[in-house]
Amino acid sequence: ITYTASIGACEKSERWQNAVSLLLGLERKHSEPDSVACNAALGACGASRAWPEALHVFSRGQKKGLGRRLVTFNVVVLACSRGYQWQRALDTIAGMPHKHLEPDVITHSAAISACKSSAQWQPAYALLDAMSQQDVEPTVITSSAVVSACEKG
């Protein structure tokens, strides 16, 4: 619990290096981190725009059976979005069905935001269309981001 709380504090203070170090320290002590600790480390990486590290933590967690929750995928897509990695965000979403997960409004909105930041209007529009097909209601912000992506592209 102490490690998880410490990792959570690192997330709030955007100290991704410390969060990842604590997560790895937990593994070195032969204790398996839980999804809360993993998500906190992912969040710290995302908040700091350290998307490569977020993808690395996510990959390690997947191999250990963690990260099979929607919230974990959302944190990874948000990290990719904050790092302007629209393609990696889409790749993460593409892996969700393999874990029997469906993207929600947070997942789609984060990916659309990444597309907007990179002036990728076609994938942004495709995500909006996918939301409609999956009965996921877009927010006003999500719709505005698609419009903005179209204007930039």
Side-chain angles (χ1 to χ4, degrees):
I1 295 175
T2 305
Y3 271 88
T4 301
S6 298
I7 293 169
C10 292
E11 176 185 17
K12 288 178 179 58
S13 61
E14 298 182 14
R15 294 176 174 245
W16 70 266
Q17 298 98 330
N18 295 48
V20 172
S21 178
L22 285 166
L23 191 69
L24 294 174
L26 193 60
E27 291 176 5
R28 281 191 296 274
K29 291 193 180 280
H30 304 291
S31 296
E32 288 299 318
D34 61 9
S35 59
V36 175
C38 187
N39 288 346
L42 287 168
C45 292
S48 303
R49 290 187 168 82
W51 61 268
E53 289 76 14
L55 291 173
H56 180 73
V57 169
F58 179 63
S59 177
R60 287 179 65 99
Q62 292 282 299
K63 291 175 185 169
K64 294 180 180 292
L66 299 173
R68 296 173 191 249
R69 298 174 146 191
L70 179 60
V71 66
T72 304
F73 277 83
N74 285 348
V75 174
V76 173
V77 173
L78 282 166
C80 292
S81 176
R82 288 179 179 143
Y84 310 110
Q85 298 298 311
W86 65 273
Q87 186 60 56
R88 293 184 192 273
L90 296 180
D91 292 344
T92 302
I93 291 172
M96 292 178 74
H98 302 293
K99 303 293 183 188
H100 306 290
L101 295 172
E102 290 293 326
D104 65 1
V105 66
I106 295 168
T107 319
H108 286 294
S109 295
I112 287 170
S113 176
C115 293
K116 177 193 84 163
S117 299
S118 303
Q120 297 293 324
W121 70 270
Q122 291 169 320
Y125 186 79
L127 285 164
L128 185 66
D129 187 50
M131 290 177 78
S132 174
Q133 292 175 16
Q134 297 168 355
D135 292 326
V136 176
E137 189 71 30
T139 65
V140 172
I141 295 170
T142 305
S143 300
S144 296
V146 172
V147 171
S148 180
C150 291
E151 290 173 346
K152 288 182 176 185

